[in-house]
Amino acid sequence: ATIVLSLEPLAEPEPQAEVRVRKEIHALTVEERELFIDTYREAWDAPDSDLREMADEFVMNFSRGLHNNGAFLPWHRGYLLQVENRLREISPNITIPYWDWSLSPRIAQYPIWGAGPGQFSGDGGTDRCVADDGPFGTGSGFELTNGHCLQRRLGGGSAATAVQVQANLFHRYPNATDYDQFRNRLEHGPGLHDSVHCLVGGTMCSARASNDPIFFLHHAMV
């Protein structure tokens, strides 16, 4: 038998794939939340802003197959990645945090709202405009892509609790063949995707929802 020895050099090992960790918003330090907010505003306020273009693309495509079918989850997943990649051009290690509303289902009482350090501005006034001087209020110059104010109307209802999420989604639809039933329940079920959009209210409860930065934290949770 003839043994042939290869003299080719060993291939270099593949570089380790990048692992991004998205944390729950209140697992971040105040400084980390401020970095995310500052990065978001820098991208939003940039001349010919790519982030604003992405928000407008969502508005344009809102009624063109992004909801009520199997594309709902993968499309939004890709959309978040596109936005996150844009933010990482400014802050390379940043990720979109997720807002686990099941931890504190009474939406209006969640400490995410306010004009303080690391908060995402608060509720709207009588005209629903967020007028505080937080990062997304009119006091800081934040505007939607149509030039209007960000609107919110924090409702008194509740999102689903962690127990309800388990019972109404994972326990009810445990199999891959249940995908579309699972998607439909997640999208439209009580206290879940749709409900949270309209418990925040205002811009979030409209086709222009992607103009509210909370949209991305909500969909990172979804």
Side-chain angles (χ1 to χ4, degrees):
T2 302
I3 299 174
V4 178
L5 299 178
S6 173
L7 300 180
E8 294 293 325
L10 293 175
E12 291 290 326
E14 291 291 329
Q16 186 173 6
E18 177 188 46
V19 176
R20 301 185 191 183
V21 178
R22 291 181 178 161
K23 300 179 182 178
E24 205 282 324
I25 185 62
H26 286 93
L28 301 180
T29 65
V30 172
E31 291 75 21
E32 287 173 326
R33 293 200 301 272
E34 287 182 310
L35 175 62
F36 176 81
I37 290 167
D38 291 346
T39 301
Y40 191 97
R41 277 301 304 261
E42 183 175 340
W44 188 264
D45 295 337
D48 301 319
S49 170
D50 292 342
L51 186 56
R52 291 167 68 94
E53 286 184 13
M54 291 175 198
D56 276 343
E57 286 173 9
F58 181 88
V59 174
M60 181 179 65
N61 291 315
F62 180 80
S63 60
R64 299 182 181 178
L66 306 185
H67 300 86
N68 303 309
N69 59 60
F72 171 72
L73 288 169
W75 190 94
H76 283 80
R77 190 181 184 93
Y79 184 50
L80 260 66
L81 183 61
Q82 183 183 23
V83 169
E84 187 172 86
N85 286 342
R86 174 65 186 96
L87 299 179
R88 287 167 70 92
E89 292 175 11
I90 298 171
S91 298
N93 296 318
I94 209 169
T95 55
I96 295 174
Y98 67 95
W99 167 31
D100 188 351
W101 25 259
S102 74
L103 296 175
S104 180
R106 299 288 288 185
I107 294 294
Q109 299 174 7
Y110 209 60
I112 201 171
W113 315 116
Q119 292 182 307
F120 284 72
S121 285
D123 199 3
T126 54
D127 58 357
R128 300 191 184 183
C129 284
V130 177
D132 61 34
D133 59 358
F136 305 110
T138 57
S140 67
F142 185 77
E143 292 182 344
L144 308 188
T145 58
N146 62 3
H148 295 171
C149 66
L150 174 65
Q151 293 188 334
R152 288 180 183 150
R153 188 178 184 183
L154 300 178
S158 297
T161 65
V163 170
Q164 290 169 330
V165 170
Q166 287 291 329
N168 291 327
L169 287 172
F170 300 113
H171 293 167
R172 183 173 294 194
Y173 307 113
N175 303 311
T177 52
D178 301 326
Y179 171 78
D180 203 54
Q181 294 166 285
F182 178 94
R183 185 276 313 160
N184 185 64
R185 186 75 174 185
L186 173 58
E187 189 174 356
H188 304 303
L192 298 170
H193 166 262
D194 287 358
S195 296
V196 173
H197 267 280
C198 290
L199 285 169
V200 175
T203 304
M204 268 285 279
C205 192
S206 75
R208 202 168 286 277
S210 57
N211 277 239
D212 189 335
I214 291 298
F215 173 96
F216 298 102
L217 279 64
H218 173 40
H219 271 277
M221 169 64 174
V222 171

